[in-house]
Amino acid sequence: MNSRSQPCCGVARFLTILDGPWATLIIRELLNGPLRFTELRKQLEGVSAHTLTHRLKRFEENGIVSRTAYAETPPRVVYELTEKGMELREVLNAMRVWGDSLESAEPEKTVSNSIESCPFSQK
Amino acid sequence: MNSRSQPCCGVARFLTILDGPWATLIIRELLNGPLRFTELRKQLEGVSAHTLTHRLKRFEENGIVSRTAYAETPPRVVYELTEKGMELREVLNAMRVWGDSLESAEPEKTVSNSIESCPFSQK
DNA sequence: ACCTAATAGTTCATTTTTTGAAGTAATGAT
DNA sequence: ATCATTACTTCAAAAAATGAACTATTAGGT
């Protein structure tokens, strides 16, 4: 997309870090608490290991996710949002509010308002 | 990514519509008012016509942008956010707040807090 | 001792996207 | 008649994502 240096616009900065498929959904999952690599894969049906690895690496480099590896066999690696990462909750909440508001317009079917409707706690 | 049907999670819905490079930045530009195709291209340095066309088509299909073509020569086509599209301002604001908050951590240089720092008005 | 299972990746070939450059139709101005 | 302008479309090349297979390590079962 743009160039190498950090963009000056906050929106663009956000987009630089949370770019690409699955990025934001990974954050959504981690907002519910730390997860292992495999747990993330299971919850995000369809992510390839490759993409997941890349996203997590970028998140780590940007200080929004921490990675803790336990020297066990089989290995155990736990990913967790940092404070900076936790602050993304507000952004995801805004997305959720907007996304949920679309339902009313679609006549097809009112989406179930089950507890599962959005898989991260609002506060 | 996932399947064809609308995702039940608001976050995922948002991401389905605002997916891919430039998508959110296009909205950012349109939050300042209607723009022609060429004006968008000029302001988003680096978008290809191809990508811009595709994004705008998707936005139109999802009712967040309206397209008005004037039968002139050379043609004039104006893109404008619908009410639904305007409501994205809150999401972009949340992104901007988060993105701007990153500066403090980076010791390199305090980013100029010029009027241009984020190219859409906050309210 | 041997075999199996499990985790967190990596590697690689295939498919999908994005890019960048070039082309197109229409017509008012020069 | 030629040129310029706009909003695209088309096409080849580059970049990214996917899906499947593979790897190192070692605890546990037989």
Side-chain angles (χ1 to χ4, degrees):
Chain A
M1 211 161 94
N2 264 345
S3 47
R4 44 221 82 273
S5 65
Q6 262 204 328
C8 62
C9 166
V11 175
R13 284 190 192 189
F14 169 91
L15 294 170
T16 300
I17 299 177
L18 280 94
D19 183 42
W22 303 105
T24 303
L25 292 176
I26 293 167
I27 301 297
R28 184 189 71 184
E29 296 306 317
L30 291 177
L31 278 171
N32 285 325
L35 287 173
R36 301 176 58 168
F37 188 85
T38 311
E39 292 172 326
L40 271 169
R41 284 208 69 183
K42 234 170 286 176
Q43 301 196 23
L44 298 173
E45 203 185 0
V47 226
S48 67
H50 187 254
T51 301
L52 187 52
T53 301
H54 280 16
R55 296 289 176 270
L56 289 168
K57 193 171 295 177
R58 192 207 295 151
F59 291 165
E60 206 194 338
E61 286 167 1
N62 284 277
I64 67 175
V65 161
S66 69
R67 177 183 184 276
T68 311
Y70 297 88
E72 305 169 358
T73 315
R76 181 161 58 101
V77 178
V78 176
Y79 292 94
E80 185 171 11
L81 290 178
T82 62
E83 203 170 324
K84 215 154 123 187
M86 291 285 195
E87 287 164 10
L88 287 166
R89 182 186 300 273
E90 327 239 331
V91 184
L92 289 250
N93 258 330
M95 290 180 184
R96 187 184 47 71
V97 167
W98 187 85
D100 285 346
S101 78
L102 296 178
E103 314 177 21
S104 43
E106 306 287 341
E108 329 207 342
K109 74 166 182 183
T110 310
V111 172
S112 71
N113 41 4
S114 76
I115 314 172
E116 287 285 316
S117 69
C118 193
F120 71 97
S121 53
Q122 292 188 46
K123 196 70 195 223
Chain B
M1 211 161 96
N2 263 347
S3 45
R4 45 222 79 274
S5 64
Q6 262 205 329
C8 61
C9 167
V11 175
R13 284 191 191 188
F14 169 90
L15 294 170
T16 300
I17 299 177
L18 280 95
D19 183 43
W22 303 106
T24 303
L25 292 175
I26 292 166
I27 301 298
R28 184 190 71 183
E29 295 307 316
L30 291 177
L31 278 171
N32 284 325
L35 288 173
R36 302 176 58 168
F37 188 85
T38 310
E39 291 171 327
L40 271 169
R41 283 208 69 182
K42 234 170 288 176
Q43 302 197 21
L44 298 172
E45 202 186 0
V47 227
S48 66
H50 187 253
T51 301
L52 187 51
T53 301
H54 280 16
R55 295 291 176 270
L56 289 168
K57 194 172 293 177
R58 193 207 296 152
F59 292 164
E60 206 192 339
E61 285 167 2
N62 284 278
I64 67 175
V65 160
S66 69
R67 177 183 185 276
T68 311
Y70 298 90
E72 305 170 357
T73 317
R76 180 161 59 103
V77 179
V78 176
Y79 293 94
E80 186 171 10
L81 291 178
T82 63
E83 204 170 323
K84 214 155 123 187
M86 291 284 196
E87 287 163 11
L88 286 167
R89 183 186 299 273
E90 327 237 332
V91 184
L92 288 250
N93 258 331
M95 289 180 185
R96 186 183 47 70
V97 168
W98 187 85
D100 284 346
S101 79
L102 296 179
E103 312 178 23
S104 44
E106 307 286 340
E108 331 209 340
K109 74 166 182 183
T110 310
V111 172
S112 70
N113 41 3
S114 75
I115 314 170
E116 286 286 316
S117 68
C118 195
F120 71 97
S121 53
Q122 290 189 46
K123 197 73 193 220

